[in-house]
Amino acid sequence: MKIGFYTSTFNDRSFEEVVDFAASAGFDAIEIDVGGHIKTPDQVEAAVALARSRNLFVSSITYFGNQLDADRAKREALRAKTAEFAGAIGEAGVPIFVIFPGRDDTASDEANYDDFADFANGLIAETQSYGLTFAIENWPGPKDNFIGTTPRGWQELFQRIRDPRFGLEFDPSHLIRIGVDPYRAMEAVKDRISILHAKDTAIDKESLQAVGYHGKGWWQYKLPGLGLIDWPRFLRQARGAGFDGTLSIEHEDAAYGWPGKDLAARKEGERLGLDYLRNVLSGL
């Protein structure tokens, strides 16, 4: 497996600075955030070339946004730009394009799944010549209600999107905080995992007892190895299922400078994550 990181942790820094850090720290790969480092589709080629010039594998490019926005004009604009990015990413030879399904709060669950599946199937058909894989991250969204972010939601999508070029950016940290067993969840979708997000979650049981699941402050995202996930078990399971792709660290650990605080602390967090994951992989 390659180990990289998602560049959103450094959205306040130039992309050249980010790839220079990634290379000097010994990372194998990088996952590029559109919002922070590739503003328009015509910038994809140059960004990818810059990363490759530092001997970094560009594992994926990630574009945030609610593809089911209830505002039809916003939805259509986002989808048009997503299609443009898909073409540029395919042309650049990047294997995975990560997007977020979102949700339309004014529509039924079935309508949401049908609508997103129609859009995704269209993207798959339009990029056939590139072989581009589309993946969704299982982040539940700001209201914890995005579709396709739970085991049942994945099955709803996979029933509608049969092509294996549609898969998951599987992030166990989100599953931990919503009460889903990540090991059992991964087993059920092992053939649709395109990339793994390496992020952990810690839970403060006393805070949870005080405020309940709907309260705040009882969970925190952590660097790999600093939360509840058994990474040797998790990565052994992934490898056993045939996964040999990229582990992309998504650093959102407040103890190491996130979000956008001390730069040295953020870099140290990335290095710690890399060292920890390399040690785990070497012991499998």
Side-chain angles (χ1 to χ4, degrees):
M1 296 181 197
K2 295 180 176 64
I3 302 175
F5 66 79
Y6 180 30
T7 66
S8 64
T9 305
F10 302 106
N11 276 355
D12 60 333
R13 317 306 297 179
S14 73
F15 188 59
E16 184 170 14
E17 180 180 343
V18 174
V19 295
D20 283 345
F21 164 69
S24 65
F27 282 91
D28 309 308
I30 200 160
E31 175 182 5
I32 308 175
D33 179 58
V34 165
H37 295 116
I38 308 177
K39 300 299 186 182
T40 57
D42 62 358
Q43 295 180 8
V44 169
E45 183 179 4
V48 171
L50 181 61
R52 289 173 177 163
S53 74
R54 304 309 196 263
N55 294 316
L56 294 168
F57 173 67
V58 181
S59 62
S60 48
I61 292 177
T62 298
Y63 189 27
F64 180 82
N66 181 354
Q67 298 286 349
L68 290 165
D69 198 307
D71 184 318
R72 292 286 173 167
K74 290 181 179 179
R75 183 190 306 190
E76 290 174 8
L78 176 63
R79 290 186 176 187
K81 185 61 68 68
T82 300
E84 289 182 47
F85 268 110
I89 292 166
E91 287 279 0
V94 175
I96 301 169
F97 185 17
V98 180
I99 59 177
F100 298 79
R103 174 183 284 275
D104 177 357
D105 287 324
T106 69
S108 67
D109 276 3
E110 184 175 8
N112 272 284
Y113 281 103
D114 286 345
D115 193 310
F116 180 75
D118 287 345
F119 174 60
N121 282 321
L123 288 174
I124 291 167
E126 290 165 8
T127 56
Q128 184 70 41
S129 62
Y130 305 121
L132 180 64
T133 290
F134 294 87
I136 59 167
E137 184 190 345
N138 55 292
W139 176 55
K143 297 180 181 178
D144 288 337
N145 69 344
F146 276 12
I147 68 164
T149 56
T150 63
R152 179 174 294 175
W154 297 334
Q155 294 309 319
E156 290 287 343
L157 283 180
F158 295 153
Q159 288 169 11
R160 293 166 168 83
I161 310 170
R162 299 287 185 175
D163 197 303
R165 286 173 48 220
F166 178 82
L168 300 174
E169 181 170 56
F170 191 98
D171 188 328
S173 69
H174 300 308
L175 299 175
I176 290 287
R177 77 169 180 88
I178 64 172
V180 173
D181 181 332
Y183 317 104
R184 182 177 170 188
M186 179 165 62
E187 181 63 27
V189 293
K190 58 188 178 183
D191 60 336
R192 299 295 284 261
I193 295 175
S194 305
I195 184 171
L196 290 174
H197 254 182
K199 188 170 66 179
D200 217 325
T201 296
I203 293 176
D204 184 329
K205 292 184 177 180
E206 289 301 314
S207 293
L208 177 58
Q209 174 65 24
V211 303
Y213 288 118
H214 298 296
K216 296 181 179 180
W218 58 269
W219 63 270
Q220 288 185 329
Y221 291 134
K222 305 296 290 183
L223 289 162
L226 300 180
L228 295 174
I229 296 166
D230 182 338
W231 287 95
R233 175 186 177 185
F234 183 78
L235 295 179
R236 188 178 297 112
Q237 181 182 354
R239 179 175 284 179
F243 180 81
D244 192 32
T246 300
L247 281 169
S248 182
I249 297 171
E250 185 179 25
H251 173 7
E252 293 183 351
D253 192 330
Y256 289 90
W258 184 86
K261 296 179 182 177
D262 184 78
L263 179 61
R266 279 181 277 161
K267 290 182 176 180
E268 179 63 14
E270 299 284 10
R271 293 190 190 96
L272 288 172
L274 174 62
D275 290 345
Y276 175 77
L277 292 171
R278 285 221 191 283
N279 287 335
V280 171
L281 288 174
S282 68
L284 296 184

